[in-house]
Amino acid sequence: MTKKVLLVDDSNTALMMERMILSHTSYTLLTARDGLDAVEKARLEQPDLILMDVVMPKMNGFEACRLLKQQDATKSIPVIMVTTRGEAENVQAGLDSGCNDYVTKPIDGAELMRKLRNFLGE
Amino acid sequence: MNGDQDDRGAYVRKVQAETHQYVQVLLEDNLRLRSALRTHEERLKQLELEVRATEEASRQQYEKFREVEENNSQLANLYVASYRLLGTLKRSEVLLAIQEIIANLIGSEEFGVYELAHGGEALELVTSMGTEAHKNRTIALGAGVIGGSAQSRRLFRADQGPSELASDPGVLVCIPLTLDERLIGVIAIFRLLQHKPRLLPVDGELFALLGSHAAAALCCSRLLTEAGIS
């Protein structure tokens, strides 16, 4: 069965870049533009993995991740934070919110693919 | 008595002959095995050479793969940047696209985008991220590294050594935005994200693309805004 990946970012550029990187895979790609939208889409679509930006309107990535991990329907979905803040304290904040891993922007396509495959069991 | 001695002699001779025969067989086996060993040793050396050649070919293939992957990544960055810049004529969207390209693809949250204003005598800040750009919202053409880069229409990079442009430790990159050699503005990048220690080859490509495409996008969007169309 085709794996589903939910891309969450308020930046069209970032979303487009993530789509380009994942374009040669067979994953079904879904998008959300903020944390609230991400939580709702995750509940409805049950993606196999979520790529979550941090700084977003309405609800940031940390808050969205915390919420996802609190809900039975979504707590087992792995979340990879995609962040411009690669400092140790920000990484720790992400891990504390429940995310499973992180990548920094600008995104290294090869690194992203490695992490995706690691979580999606390929 | 003589019969016993003859028997013993015959027995000894028999044993000697059989021993000699056995030794000959052993010697022949030894020679045969030595020859087989030499053949196997040569084959082993040959296989080791083949393994090393295969490993070297594999390493070279991997290097080529990495190069292709790197090229693909660069092309993807340029495609996305180009698409975003030329995909809209709305001024606000153009400025947002420039911001997103610098933040997401280059990796900076301290930059300013300036447009030529004041009758072509100065640059005015039109959008920015971070706090550095707000220290000088208006820059006279030719003043400092930002004004100098704009006036000379030359890219400035602090990581490429001394420049004829006045150096300013606070400025990392200045990208003049030009359309048909007409100066439209300049992008000044003050700092990279903390986890990005240096500029990469793809960043140079993005600077070149921004220099022309961002200029065209800004120019077109401004004309449309002035014409009351967008």
Side-chain angles (χ1 to χ4, degrees), chain A residues 65-110:
Chain A
C65 189
R66 224 169 265 124
L67 206 53
L68 287 165
K69 295 301 177 183
Q70 284 169 3
Q71 297 175 357
D72 286 337
T74 54
K75 65 183 178 188
S76 60
I77 302 173
V79 177
I80 298 178
M81 286 295 185
V82 182
T83 177
T84 53
R85 308 281 160 79
E87 303 89 4
E89 58 268 24
N90 283 294
V91 171
Q92 191 56 50
L95 295 171
D96 289 343
S97 73
C99 82
N100 300 84
D101 206 337
Y102 76 96
V103 290
T104 51
K105 290 179 178 177
I107 298 174
D108 179 326

Side-chain angles (χ1 to χ4, degrees), chain B residues 48-171:
Chain B
E48 279 173 351
L49 282 171
E50 283 175 19
V51 164
R52 271 200 289 276
T54 306
E55 279 174 350
E56 178 59 23
S58 176
R59 190 192 62 78
Q60 285 175 4
Q61 285 288 80
Y62 179 73
E63 287 299 322
K64 276 185 192 156
F65 170 75
R66 288 288 300 159
E67 209 179 290
V68 167
E69 203 175 49
E70 189 66 36
N71 284 341
N72 281 348
S73 176
Q74 282 197 17
L75 288 170
N77 272 279
L78 294 174
Y79 174 78
V80 169
S82 182
Y83 189 97
R84 290 286 290 127
L85 286 170
L86 302 179
T88 180
L89 290 171
K90 271 186 165 171
R91 188 168 166 80
S92 59
E93 290 292 320
V94 169
L95 292 172
L96 181 61
I98 295 173
Q99 279 194 352
E100 288 184 353
I101 287 164
I102 300 172
N104 289 281
L105 303 186
I106 294 174
S108 166
E109 288 182 334
E110 282 284 355
F111 60 85
V113 181
Y114 301 80
E115 263 187 321
L116 193 63
H118 304 290
E121 297 296 319
L123 299 156
E124 193 69 37
L125 186 69
V126 291
T127 193
S128 64
M129 240 182 153
T131 55
E132 285 296 321
H134 291 277
K135 291 176 184 173
N136 290 299
R137 296 192 63 91
T138 305
I139 299 173
L141 210 58
V145 71
I146 299 174
S149 172
Q151 189 175 55
S152 65
R153 288 137 172 82
R154 281 171 46 198
L155 174 73
F156 167 79
R157 283 179 59 161
D159 64 336
Q160 286 185 341
S163 166
E164 290 156 16
L165 298 165
S167 69
D168 179 343
V171 181

